[in-house]
Amino acid sequence: DPDNVVLCLLAADEEEAGDAALQIHFTLIQAFCCENDINILRVSNPARLAQLLLPAPRPEPPADLHCVLVTNPHASQWKDPALSQLMCFCRESRYMDQWVPVINLPER
C-alpha cells in the first residue's frame, strides 16, 4: 500500500554500480516512488545497513536489503521528529536538484 510508505532506501555498494539488472530494478522503483510521492534515499553500504536493521549475527546469509520500504501506518507521519527531519532533508535535496540523495554509512 503506497499510502503508508514514507521512505524508500536503495542500497548498493560501489561493486554493484555496474550491475545492469540492479540499476534497472532501481530505476523502476524510483519511478514508482516518484509517482506515489515517496521519498527516496540511496545508501552506499548495504552491509552496514544490514547490521543496523537485522538482529544479531545469524547463521544464514543476510537478507537482500537492496530495497527497503519504510512504512508508517499512523495518520500523521510528522509525530516522529526523526522522520520529520528525514523528510525535510529529502525535500531540501530536491530543491538542490538532487532527486535521490545519497547517505554514506560508515563502517563501524
Side-chain angles (χ1 to χ4, degrees), residues 1-18:
D1 180 16
D3 291 335
N4 291 332
V5 177
V6 294
L7 180 66
C8 176
L9 297 175
L10 299 176
D13 54 24
E14 290 179 14
E15 292 132 15
E16 296 171 318

mmCIF file of all heavy atoms in Angstrom, residues 1-18:
data_model
loop_
_atom_site.group_PDB
_atom_site.id
_atom_site.type_symbol
_atom_site.label_atom_id
_atom_site.label_comp_id
_atom_site.label_asym_id
_atom_site.label_seq_id
_atom_site.Cartn_x
_atom_site.Cartn_y
_atom_site.Cartn_z
ATOM 1 N N ASP A 1 0.840 -1.174 0.000
ATOM 2 C CA ASP A 1 0.000 0.000 0.000
ATOM 3 C C ASP A 1 0.890 1.244 0.000
ATOM 4 O O ASP A 1 1.479 1.590 1.030
ATOM 5 C CB ASP A 1 -0.903 -0.031 1.228
ATOM 6 C CG ASP A 1 -1.835 1.175 1.299
ATOM 7 O OD1 ASP A 1 -1.995 1.865 0.279
ATOM 8 O OD2 ASP A 1 -2.378 1.406 2.373
ATOM 9 N N PRO A 2 1.033 1.931 -1.123
ATOM 10 C CA PRO A 2 1.932 3.082 -1.188
ATOM 11 C C PRO A 2 1.512 4.239 -0.286
ATOM 12 O O PRO A 2 2.326 5.096 0.024
ATOM 13 C CB PRO A 2 1.891 3.493 -2.659
ATOM 14 C CG PRO A 2 0.722 2.825 -3.248
ATOM 15 C CD PRO A 2 0.409 1.631 -2.400
ATOM 16 N N ASP A 3 0.258 4.266 0.145
ATOM 17 C CA ASP A 3 -0.178 5.359 1.020
ATOM 18 C C ASP A 3 0.496 5.318 2.383
ATOM 19 O O ASP A 3 0.594 6.341 3.057
ATOM 20 C CB ASP A 3 -1.691 5.318 1.208
ATOM 21 C CG ASP A 3 -2.432 5.664 -0.071
ATOM 22 O OD1 ASP A 3 -1.845 6.375 -0.916
ATOM 23 O OD2 ASP A 3 -3.571 5.215 -0.231
ATOM 24 N N ASN A 4 0.963 4.164 2.811
ATOM 25 C CA ASN A 4 1.616 4.029 4.114
ATOM 26 C C ASN A 4 3.139 4.053 4.022
ATOM 27 O O ASN A 4 3.811 4.007 5.036
ATOM 28 C CB ASN A 4 1.175 2.746 4.808
ATOM 29 C CG ASN A 4 -0.273 2.811 5.231
ATOM 30 O OD1 ASN A 4 -0.805 3.879 5.499
ATOM 31 N ND2 ASN A 4 -0.923 1.677 5.283
ATOM 32 N N VAL A 5 3.695 4.111 2.819
ATOM 33 C CA VAL A 5 5.147 4.138 2.651
ATOM 34 C C VAL A 5 5.616 5.580 2.717
ATOM 35 O O VAL A 5 5.123 6.440 2.005
ATOM 36 C CB VAL A 5 5.571 3.494 1.310
ATOM 37 C CG1 VAL A 5 7.073 3.597 1.107
ATOM 38 C CG2 VAL A 5 5.128 2.041 1.257
ATOM 39 N N VAL A 6 6.568 5.835 3.609
ATOM 40 C CA VAL A 6 7.084 7.201 3.775
ATOM 41 C C VAL A 6 8.510 7.356 3.255
ATOM 42 O O VAL A 6 8.973 8.471 3.062
ATOM 43 C CB VAL A 6 7.011 7.659 5.247
ATOM 44 C CG1 VAL A 6 5.571 7.784 5.688
ATOM 45 C CG2 VAL A 6 7.782 6.745 6.155
ATOM 46 N N LEU A 7 9.202 6.237 3.029
ATOM 47 C CA LEU A 7 10.588 6.318 2.588
ATOM 48 C C LEU A 7 10.987 5.027 1.896
ATOM 49 O O LEU A 7 10.590 3.939 2.317
ATOM 50 C CB LEU A 7 11.509 6.558 3.793
ATOM 51 C CG LEU A 7 12.997 6.662 3.526
ATOM 52 C CD1 LEU A 7 13.314 7.912 2.707
ATOM 53 C CD2 LEU A 7 13.765 6.686 4.835
ATOM 54 N N CYS A 8 11.792 5.168 0.858
ATOM 55 C CA CYS A 8 12.370 4.020 0.163
ATOM 56 C C CYS A 8 13.889 4.138 0.242
ATOM 57 O O CYS A 8 14.455 5.156 -0.157
ATOM 58 C CB CYS A 8 11.917 4.012 -1.294
ATOM 59 S SG CYS A 8 12.675 2.698 -2.279
ATOM 60 N N LEU A 9 14.538 3.125 0.781
ATOM 61 C CA LEU A 9 16.000 3.077 0.839
ATOM 62 C C LEU A 9 16.493 2.149 -0.266
ATOM 63 O O LEU A 9 16.055 0.999 -0.354
ATOM 64 C CB LEU A 9 16.477 2.529 2.182
ATOM 65 C CG LEU A 9 16.141 3.330 3.423
ATOM 66 C CD1 LEU A 9 16.577 2.578 4.667
ATOM 67 C CD2 LEU A 9 16.804 4.688 3.371
ATOM 68 N N LEU A 10 17.384 2.646 -1.096
ATOM 69 C CA LEU A 10 18.000 1.841 -2.143
ATOM 70 C C LEU A 10 19.468 1.687 -1.787
ATOM 71 O O LEU A 10 20.201 2.673 -1.717
ATOM 72 C CB LEU A 10 17.855 2.514 -3.510
ATOM 73 C CG LEU A 10 16.421 2.746 -3.987
ATOM 74 C CD1 LEU A 10 16.425 3.512 -5.300
ATOM 75 C CD2 LEU A 10 15.692 1.431 -4.121
ATOM 76 N N ALA A 11 19.888 0.467 -1.524
ATOM 77 C CA ALA A 11 21.248 0.224 -1.044
ATOM 78 C C ALA A 11 22.066 -0.541 -2.076
ATOM 79 O O ALA A 11 21.651 -1.590 -2.553
ATOM 80 C CB ALA A 11 21.199 -0.563 0.265
ATOM 81 N N ALA A 12 23.224 0.018 -2.397
ATOM 82 C CA ALA A 12 24.158 -0.651 -3.302
ATOM 83 C C ALA A 12 25.553 -0.116 -3.013
ATOM 84 O O ALA A 12 25.724 1.068 -2.734
ATOM 85 C CB ALA A 12 23.794 -0.408 -4.752
ATOM 86 N N ASP A 13 26.538 -0.994 -3.081
ATOM 87 C CA ASP A 13 27.909 -0.534 -2.884
ATOM 88 C C ASP A 13 28.562 -0.296 -4.241
ATOM 89 O O ASP A 13 27.956 -0.507 -5.292
ATOM 90 C CB ASP A 13 28.702 -1.504 -2.015
ATOM 91 C CG ASP A 13 28.681 -2.926 -2.533
ATOM 92 O OD1 ASP A 13 28.467 -3.117 -3.742
ATOM 93 O OD2 ASP A 13 28.872 -3.851 -1.735
ATOM 94 N N GLU A 14 29.797 0.153 -4.232
ATOM 95 C CA GLU A 14 30.494 0.500 -5.469
ATOM 96 C C GLU A 14 30.624 -0.684 -6.419
ATOM 97 O O GLU A 14 30.563 -0.512 -7.628
ATOM 98 C CB GLU A 14 31.879 1.073 -5.145
ATOM 99 C CG GLU A 14 31.824 2.438 -4.499
ATOM 100 C CD GLU A 14 33.207 2.975 -4.170
ATOM 101 O OE1 GLU A 14 34.208 2.422 -4.668
ATOM 102 O OE2 GLU A 14 33.272 3.957 -3.418
ATOM 103 N N GLU A 15 30.816 -1.881 -5.882
ATOM 104 C CA GLU A 15 30.976 -3.050 -6.731
ATOM 105 C C GLU A 15 29.711 -3.377 -7.509
ATOM 106 O O GLU A 15 29.749 -3.967 -8.566
ATOM 107 C CB GLU A 15 31.385 -4.268 -5.890
ATOM 108 C CG GLU A 15 32.770 -4.155 -5.297
ATOM 109 C CD GLU A 15 32.789 -4.508 -3.823
ATOM 110 O OE1 GLU A 15 31.817 -5.098 -3.330
ATOM 111 O OE2 GLU A 15 33.783 -4.183 -3.179
ATOM 112 N N GLU A 16 28.560 -2.984 -6.975
ATOM 113 C CA GLU A 16 27.281 -3.273 -7.627
ATOM 114 C C GLU A 16 26.842 -2.168 -8.584
ATOM 115 O O GLU A 16 25.819 -2.304 -9.259
ATOM 116 C CB GLU A 16 26.196 -3.494 -6.574
ATOM 117 C CG GLU A 16 26.456 -4.697 -5.711
ATOM 118 C CD GLU A 16 25.504 -4.795 -4.540
ATOM 119 O OE1 GLU A 16 25.214 -3.765 -3.902
ATOM 120 O OE2 GLU A 16 25.055 -5.917 -4.269
ATOM 121 N N ALA A 17 27.618 -1.091 -8.672
ATOM 122 C CA ALA A 17 27.245 0.040 -9.520
ATOM 123 C C ALA A 17 27.134 -0.364 -10.990
ATOM 124 O O ALA A 17 26.344 0.212 -11.733
ATOM 125 C CB ALA A 17 28.244 1.174 -9.351
ATOM 126 N N GLY A 18 27.902 -1.351 -11.414
ATOM 127 C CA GLY A 18 27.871 -1.792 -12.808
ATOM 128 C C GLY A 18 26.871 -2.896 -13.091
ATOM 129 O O GLY A 18 26.776 -3.365 -14.230
#
